[in-house]
Amino acid sequence: LDSAALDLAIACLGTLRDLSCGSASSRAAILEWVPLVGGTAASRCSTSTRRIIKNGIHLIGSYVERYDKWSWEEILSLHERGILLKSHHSISDPPLSENPTQQSMVRGKKEMRLLTNALGAIRNTSHSTPDNCDEFFNYGIVDLLVRRLMPEIKNSHLATEKINSHIEAVVPPSFIPDATQPWREACYRAAGSLINLAEKCPSVAYQIASNRRLIYLLIVAWGGTKAVTSESKALKNTTTSIKGVPLL
């Protein structure tokens, strides 16, 4: 995408995110949307791998898949096309700035905003909408989201046994970025998406529920660690039954 197309995609995904918030009809319309002509989307910022876009759910998912296999840092370091390819500047390339480093920072921030808006759109369009959740699952969005949150996992359902064996229920700090990391909001939107998807799609719940570390991460992202700690202390000090999330 050139700079203008990138700005347009950021704005459109932000609009889809907002329209699907609190509007069941908007969420249904996104699933029902189909391209006027056969559409494809490139994954991993490459034209070597393409998917057929069949509906609006696939379109939103393709913007997350676009960055698959790329770390957060790599996304932020993306350059404008003319610099990235290190090719001779041509009329079709975006104009190169006098400061390539500054230009790279601007491009990287835009790419991060695009991914963040796409994750927000997934979170909102999957809220209380089983059909959308099923379509996201069929697209393969769960593995994309899990890899984004836990980069060491190559495949979420195949890596479950390895992750669960001899592991403490502690999430490394890098999984829950602090406020200094530009991808903090994107991580929380990805976690919120998984929670919404699991709520309405049994296949998603089954896939992620067997990963102990991922469950803990989702609890932390939802703001549940303090509640779990408080409940643990309360159970030790009273015989009253308190219903809640069991400790991991």
Side-chain angles (χ1 to χ4, degrees):
L1 297 177
D2 60 31
S3 184
L6 189 62
D7 289 336
L8 179 60
I10 291 171
C12 289
L13 284 169
T15 301
L16 288 176
R17 177 200 63 211
D18 295 342
L19 286 173
S20 57
C21 181
S23 174
S25 59
S26 293
R27 294 193 291 270
I30 291 173
L31 175 60
E32 293 170 0
W33 175 87
V34 294
L36 295 178
V37 294
T40 62
S43 63
R44 294 187 292 278
C45 293
S46 167
T47 57
S48 60
T49 305
R50 291 183 176 271
R51 279 194 193 229
I52 301 297
I53 300 299
K54 297 180 179 179
N55 52 52
I57 296 299
H58 291 182
L59 181 62
I60 295 173
S62 70
Y63 280 102
V64 175
E65 188 175 21
R66 182 172 190 259
Y67 302 98
D68 195 28
K69 311 296 186 183
W70 289 42
S71 69
W72 299 111
E73 293 84 355
E74 287 172 332
I75 294 173
L76 281 174
S77 66
L78 288 173
H79 299 261
E80 289 290 359
R81 181 175 54 183
I83 298 177
L84 178 63
L85 298 180
K86 297 182 180 179
S87 60
H88 296 292
H89 183 62
S90 69
I91 248 178
S92 61
D93 289 328
L96 302 182
S97 69
E98 296 179 359
N99 187 339
T101 302
Q102 182 180 8
Q103 186 180 25
S104 173
M105 290 175 61
V106 171
R107 176 73 186 201
K109 288 180 180 178
K110 285 185 177 182
E111 297 281 0
M112 184 64 70
R113 176 50 53 189
L114 177 62
L115 176 56
T116 302
N117 281 3
L119 292 168
I122 292 174
R123 180 196 61 193
N124 289 356
T125 54
S126 61
H127 178 67
S128 299
T129 312
D131 289 343
N132 287 5
C133 293
D134 289 340
E135 194 63 27
F136 272 126
F137 176 77
N138 293 334
Y139 183 85
I141 202 67
V142 177
D143 282 327
L144 294 172
L145 294 175
V146 172
R147 284 197 295 268
R148 182 51 57 192
L149 288 168
M150 307 175 71
E152 85 286 1
I153 297 184
K154 301 296 183 183
N155 185 297
S156 61
H157 56 275
L158 292 180
T160 298
E161 184 176 351
K162 180 179 179 181
I163 293 294
N164 285 338
S165 60
H166 308 293
I167 188 171
E168 296 181 358
V170 176
V171 180
S174 60
F175 289 170
I176 305 294
D178 58 35
T180 64
Q181 302 298 338
W183 50 87
R184 174 184 173 88
E185 181 62 25
C187 284
Y188 280 92
R189 290 184 183 184
S193 298
L194 284 173
I195 291 170
N196 286 348
L197 290 165
E199 181 184 5
K200 294 299 178 180
C201 179
S203 297
V204 176
Y206 179 81
Q207 182 172 338
I208 68 176
S210 56
N211 189 320
R212 187 178 186 183
R213 180 179 279 182
L214 178 58
I215 294 174
Y216 192 90
L217 185 153
L218 295 179
I219 292 175
V220 172
W222 201 250
T225 49
K226 290 183 180 180
V228 170
T229 302
S230 299
E231 180 183 275
S232 177
K233 293 179 180 179
L235 286 174
K236 292 179 181 179
N237 299 326
T238 180
T239 57
T240 304
S241 175
I242 300 178
K243 184 179 180 181
V245 180
L247 292 175
L248 297 178

